[in-house]
Amino acid sequence: LEELELYEQTVALDPGDVLLCVTDGVTERREGTRMLGDDGLIDVLTTCTGLTAGAVAGRVLRAVERFAAEPASDDMAILAMRVPEPQDS
């Protein structure tokens, strides 16, 4: 890819934080002219406090599936990773 630009960014995560990575098949989920978009994804994430990484990914997937009656036509990937909490002594 001739015009591909890559960059590196460092983000500090605290115990209990979840890092969510999605492809555009999630945010570009459409029903007619409506699109889930970043705002729709943020709305879903506001309901995920305290969930495991797997539960966050599952909730995002269900939101994408429920957004429109027709099956999704774009490929999508959802990756969620949770920073472990320190163990109590």
Side-chain angles (χ1 to χ4, degrees):
L1 302 172
E2 293 178 23
E3 296 186 30
L4 179 65
E5 290 186 38
L6 300 175
Y7 62 93
E8 181 178 314
Q9 185 173 356
T10 301
V11 177
L13 300 173
D14 293 322
D17 285 351
V18 173
L19 173 65
L20 177 70
C21 304
V22 299
T23 58
D24 64 357
V26 171
T27 54
E28 292 179 358
R29 176 71 161 126
R30 295 181 184 276
E31 180 177 54
T33 59
R34 278 185 339 127
M35 187 167 62
L36 182 63
D38 292 337
D39 291 337
L41 181 57
I42 290 168
D43 289 345
V44 173
L45 294 177
T46 61
T47 70
C48 294
T49 302
L51 297 181
T52 65
V56 171
R59 190 164 287 182
V60 170
L61 178 59
R62 282 190 303 280
V64 169
E65 291 172 340
R66 292 177 180 162
F67 188 76
E70 293 185 24
S73 59
D74 195 359
D75 61 322
M76 75 180 120
I78 301 168
L79 172 67
M81 297 176 281
R82 187 169 192 265
V83 179
E85 301 276 353
Q87 299 297 319
D88 293 338
S89 316

